[in-house]
Amino acid sequence: GGCGGTLLFVRVVATTAELLRADELLSALTKRFGQQACLLLVVDFQEVSPGPHVVDGLDDLLVYFLEGSAHEGGHAAAPYRQPVERALAWVNGEPLEASSVESLEMLHQFATATNWGLAGPGGIRAFEGAATASDEGPTAA
């Protein structure tokens, strides 16, 4: 299993809408860094089916649904430790038990919608042109 590569890129998505464009990010990384590029996307606050997910046809992509509890108690200091450790094992060829879906669209539908990363402290927009928390994702520039 795994992508057999040596470069692991990690992104924690700001909004679940980013899942629909994961292939674009992976393609850009592969174009820039070659076939050794692999991508871990972490999706926070996912209580339904937490853990690793893979998408058919995107062998160098691992998506990890992380529960909100990862940001509480003893886990709060390093909430992304488990997803990163699992991804490192994956890129090193260790067996990976993961849910598999047919497409990014199916994965997006499966995820619990969140836009937590679009607003900073006090509700200030984290990105220029970013949608409000009630919208699904970024607005057109």
Side-chain angles (χ1 to χ4, degrees), residues 14 17-18 27 32 38 42 47 50-52 58 69 77-78 80 90 96 99 103 109 113 122 128 130 137 139-140:
E18 288 186 48
S27 178
R32 174 66 177 92
C38 300
V42 180
E47 306 307 321
L58 296 173
S69 62
Y80 303 111
W90 169 66
L96 175 71
S99 171
S103 67
Q109 290 173 3
E128 288 185 27
T139 58

Side-chain angles (χ1 to χ4, degrees), residues 75-133:
H75 302 286
Y80 303 111
R81 180 179 178 166
Q82 185 174 9
V84 170
E85 286 179 347
R86 297 286 290 275
L88 288 171
W90 169 66
V91 299
N92 284 316
E94 295 179 25
L96 175 71
E97 284 191 32
S99 171
S100 179
V101 296
E102 292 180 15
S103 67
L104 290 171
E105 291 78 14
M106 287 183 70
L107 188 63
H108 178 257
Q109 290 173 3
F110 194 52
T112 302
T114 180
N115 297 307
W116 73 270
L118 296 180
I124 298 172
R125 289 184 177 196
F127 303 99
E128 288 185 27
T132 62

Side-chain angles (χ1 to χ4, degrees), residues 37-50:
C38 300
L39 176 61
L40 165 65
L41 284 184
V42 180
V43 185
D44 268 311
F45 309 111
Q46 299 298 304
E47 306 307 321
V48 178
S49 194

